[in-house]
Amino acid sequence: MVDSKQQWKAWLYLSPAIVLLLVFTVWPIINTVVMAFTEGYSGLLNAGGEATFKLGFNNFARVIGQPTFQQSLKNTILLCVLTVPISTILALLIAVALNSIKPLQKGLQTVFFLPYVTNSIAIGMVFSTMFNMIGNIAVRRPRIVSYGIVNDIIRFFGGDWVNWINAGSEPWANMFVMVVYIVWNALPFKILVLLGGLQSINKQYYDAAKVDSTPRWRVLTKITVPLLSPMLAYVVITGFIGGFKEYTSIVGIFGETMGPPDAAGRLNTMVGMIYDSLELNKQGDASAAALILFGIILVVTMINLWVSKKKTHY
């Protein structure tokens, strides 16, 4: 405890951090709420002295009524529902496998963790190249045609190529590419968390299972998963929060169009819609959409916390 006579020193040391939080965190939040409830708010009009201070819910009604909002919300929810369970299950299986491979554990951890420290836009460009139809390629003679690395592999095994991300591609193909990329990009963090949880589990449980000749799948479902449930709950909650803020991965693959050239905006998300509103000088709409997104994340997080409280064993 700090002596009451010396508390001013503590506040003095904390003052730089407090000032930064007030300026760059607290004030933007307050300003966002104000702009969301200020009808027809525009930064340019406000700077020119033509600002309106009429409060109401018109910004929220206008945003919710836009087809782009409904499509963006649908895309965001679909990405979360598809990627979070798949990435969590894969991360659990990989973490269990890594935990049992002692000699190569450190090296494999490094390999699996590399995507986490790599720029998302750069990774997205790599995935775009993998799924893209490159077209005619001159390799001395004659000219050959490449349909992308993924399609070349499919054709090697006798399948037919798929138009994944180019003009004329189907929505399911675009969504498949995004799910593969987001799952791959989300694995490192989840593997790291789950592997740390596995290493903290008391080995006596596994020794008792060996004495009873318990099958491995039963050890996984009856010992590992229940004892790992706090970490599983954490990665699921953070996965949903990250999924609802998905944006950079789509830009990395499709660019600012957020979809194929002939279907711009097809894969737009809630965050992408907020950025679009800001570019159109509709700060009121962007703030309203941001508060709606915050409310959705809050509700989903509370539901996950309630479910995990029922299913988590500490």
Side-chain angles (χ1 to χ4, degrees), residues 167-187:
S169 57
E170 298 292 332
W172 69 266
N174 303 156
M175 186 61 66
F176 178 83
V177 174
M178 291 313 310
V179 169
V180 171
Y181 168 62
I182 294 173
V183 168
W184 183 82
N185 198 32
L187 282 177

Side-chain angles (χ1 to χ4, degrees), residues 34-309:
V34 173
M35 289 190 295
F37 289 96
T38 303
E39 296 183 4
Y41 184 90
S42 171
L44 291 178
L45 294 178
N46 188 41
E50 303 179 21
T52 176
F53 296 99
K54 183 180 179 182
L55 300 180
F57 295 90
N58 283 352
N59 290 339
F60 293 91
R62 182 167 54 253
V63 168
I64 294 175
Q66 293 177 2
T68 54
F69 169 82
Q70 300 166 11
Q71 182 64 35
S72 300
L73 181 60
K74 176 184 175 182
N75 291 337
T76 304
I77 293 176
L78 186 59
L79 285 173
C80 287
V81 171
L82 291 176
T83 59
V84 174
I86 295 175
S87 60
T88 303
I89 294 173
L90 287 177
L92 175 61
L93 297 177
I94 294 173
V96 171
L98 283 177
N99 193 47
S100 61
I101 305 175
K102 300 299 181 182
L104 303 175
Q105 190 178 95
K106 298 299 182 182
L108 291 175
Q109 282 183 29
T110 303
V111 172
F112 280 105
F113 194 70
L114 284 176
Y116 189 72
V117 296
T118 306
N119 184 272
S120 298
I121 300 296
I123 298 174
M125 294 174 65
V126 172
F127 268 76
S128 176
T129 303
M130 291 171 58
F131 287 92
N132 192 20
M133 291 186 299
I134 302 174
N136 291 327
I137 302 177
V139 182
R140 295 184 179 178
R141 295 179 181 178
R143 297 171 65 88
I144 63 173
V145 177
S146 174
Y147 295 91
I149 298 174
V150 175
N151 278 327
D152 290 343
I153 295 174
I154 294 175
R155 288 165 61 86
F156 177 79
F157 287 100
D160 196 10
W161 64 272
V162 179
N163 186 2
W164 297 106
I165 62 175
N166 298 276
S169 57
E170 298 292 332
W172 69 266
N174 303 156
M175 186 61 66
F176 178 83
V177 174
M178 291 313 310
V179 169
V180 171
Y181 168 62
I182 294 173
V183 168
W184 183 82
N185 198 32
L187 282 177
F189 175 74
K190 295 184 178 182
I191 291 174
L192 186 67
V193 173
L194 296 178
L195 188 59
L198 283 170
Q199 294 175 349
S200 65
I201 295 177
N202 195 325
K203 300 298 183 290
Q204 292 180 352
Y205 298 106
Y206 296 107
D207 293 339
K210 287 182 180 179
V211 172
D212 295 336
S213 300
T214 307
R216 291 187 177 181
W217 66 268
R218 194 168 182 82
V219 172
L220 176 65
T221 56
K222 298 299 182 180
I223 297 178
T224 302
V225 171
L227 294 177
L228 206 61
S229 55
M231 287 72 180
L232 288 171
Y234 173 75
V235 296
V236 168
I237 292 173
T238 55
F240 272 106
I241 293 174
F244 275 105
K245 297 189 296 181
E246 197 64 56
Y247 174 72
T248 55
S249 59
I250 303 174
V251 173
I253 293 179
F254 292 98
E256 294 182 356
T257 60
M258 304 289 284
D262 60 336
R266 174 185 287 173
L267 289 176
N268 202 3
T269 58
M270 290 288 293
V271 175
M273 179 188 174
I274 293 171
Y275 283 128
D276 292 341
S277 298
L278 291 175
E279 290 181 358
L280 296 174
N281 194 37
K282 297 180 179 179
Q283 288 85 359
D285 291 359
S287 300
L291 288 185
I292 294 172
L293 178 60
F294 169 77
I296 294 173
I297 294 175
L298 180 62
V299 171
V300 172
T301 302
M302 296 303 294
I303 294 174
N304 281 327
L305 288 174
W306 179 78
V307 173
S308 64
K309 190 178 296 183

